[in-house]
Amino acid sequence: MGNFRAARRIFAITAAAIALAGPAAQAWGPVGHSEVGAIADELIKSHRAADQVRTILGPVTLAQAGPWGDCIRSVTGPSEGFRYQPEPQYRPPCRVFESPDFLASMIDYARNNWTNCAYRRNDGCHTQYHFADLALQRTAYHFGDVGTNDYDIVHAMNAAIAALRSAECSGPGAATARPRTAAPFNFTCRQALLILTHLIGDLHQPLHVGGVYLDEKGEQVDPDSSNAERAREHD
């Protein structure tokens, strides 16, 4: 199992490096997320949903909201006191969230979604809401397959949608309301809309929802159809 995990980790690092180096991959950064939000802005024009989006987000459009999920990465963790410390190269699309109320919301989101799941590394549970590492051989999402968990992108999106459908998110005070959300998530209505807009973009990024699994010989395997690999997963 150790060799299997090590091979997968090497692949993930290599694939990420290639993706970041390629010009086409840049569309999946803030520009791509903004374009996803802009499409949503157009689709809801003249609909009641547009009015409720304005109630929740105020002057921020869905196009501006798209990069929000990555702006949260600039909020430090508990050891540094939950502060917003953006690196200059990542700051431009995040400036719209630097007003006092949006800044407080970013810090609140990071604080309430940092240690609330089984993920135990230094960058917080919420950073894992963006992914599902399904084997490329899978043609549909099935919870329980290797690469899924209860805080992956599918669960995060469902939790955000459920929050936005709640009575709390439908009224005039929706901007700051905090409806009950499915464990382990903790969203206000505003945070639910912002993260959902971001995750729609992430869902369409191959490196966010799929993974190549290799055995100790470096050969591609399907961990959900091989009895041998399943046995290794439980070793």
Side-chain angles (χ1 to χ4, degrees):
M1 184 60 191
N3 290 336
F4 180 74
R5 284 178 174 165
R8 181 187 165 209
R9 188 177 300 113
I10 291 169
F11 171 83
I13 293 171
T14 304
I18 293 171
L20 290 173
Q26 299 305 313
W28 294 117
V31 172
H33 280 292
S34 293
E35 289 176 349
V36 169
I39 292 170
D41 281 324
E42 287 296 317
L43 290 174
I44 66 173
K45 273 185 177 178
S46 303
H47 291 274
R48 180 174 173 270
D51 295 331
Q52 197 58 25
V53 166
R54 283 194 293 272
T55 297
I56 294 174
L57 296 186
V60 174
T61 66
L62 293 176
Q64 292 171 313
W68 184 82
D70 289 333
C71 297
I72 300 297
R73 298 177 186 275
S74 293
V75 177
T76 62
S79 63
E80 298 181 60
F82 290 108
R83 294 178 294 166
Y84 175 65
Q85 295 182 307
E87 296 184 30
Q89 67 267 37
Y90 302 126
R91 190 177 184 186
C94 303
R95 289 185 185 277
V96 68
F97 309 120
E98 294 180 2
S99 65
D101 59 333
F102 273 93
L103 187 58
S105 185
M106 283 200 291
I107 293 171
D108 173 84
Y109 177 88
R111 179 184 292 113
N112 286 309
N113 292 277
W114 196 275
T115 59
N116 52 318
C117 71
Y119 181 75
R120 290 293 181 267
R121 294 186 185 175
N122 294 329
D123 50 354
C125 181
H126 66 87
T127 63
Q128 302 307 298
Y129 297 171
H130 303 234
F131 305 95
D133 293 326
L134 293 168
L136 294 183
Q137 295 91 337
R138 301 296 94 206
T139 58
Y141 178 94
H142 295 290
F143 182 56
D145 283 353
V146 173
T148 68
N149 56 62
D150 63 0
Y151 51 90
D152 62 25
I153 189 171
V154 173
H155 285 78
M157 291 178 66
N158 285 340
I161 291 169
L164 291 168
R165 286 177 170 171
S166 69
E168 293 91 336
C169 294
S170 299
T176 57
R178 189 185 299 274
R180 178 177 295 181
T181 48
F185 307 98
N186 189 328
F187 303 149
T188 65
C189 300
R190 174 173 285 176
Q191 293 163 357
L193 181 54
L194 288 165
I195 196 61
L196 179 62
T197 306
H198 183 84
L199 294 182
I200 289 291
D202 280 348
L203 189 68
H204 292 82
Q205 299 188 50
L207 289 176
H208 277 258
V209 294
V212 172
Y213 289 77
L214 306 176
D215 62 17
E216 60 270 19
K217 297 179 182 179
E219 297 177 352
Q220 187 171 339
V221 295
D222 180 352
D224 292 297
S225 64
S226 166
N227 291 332
E229 294 303 326
R230 279 194 173 278
R232 289 183 181 186
E233 184 69 16
H234 295 288
D235 284 344

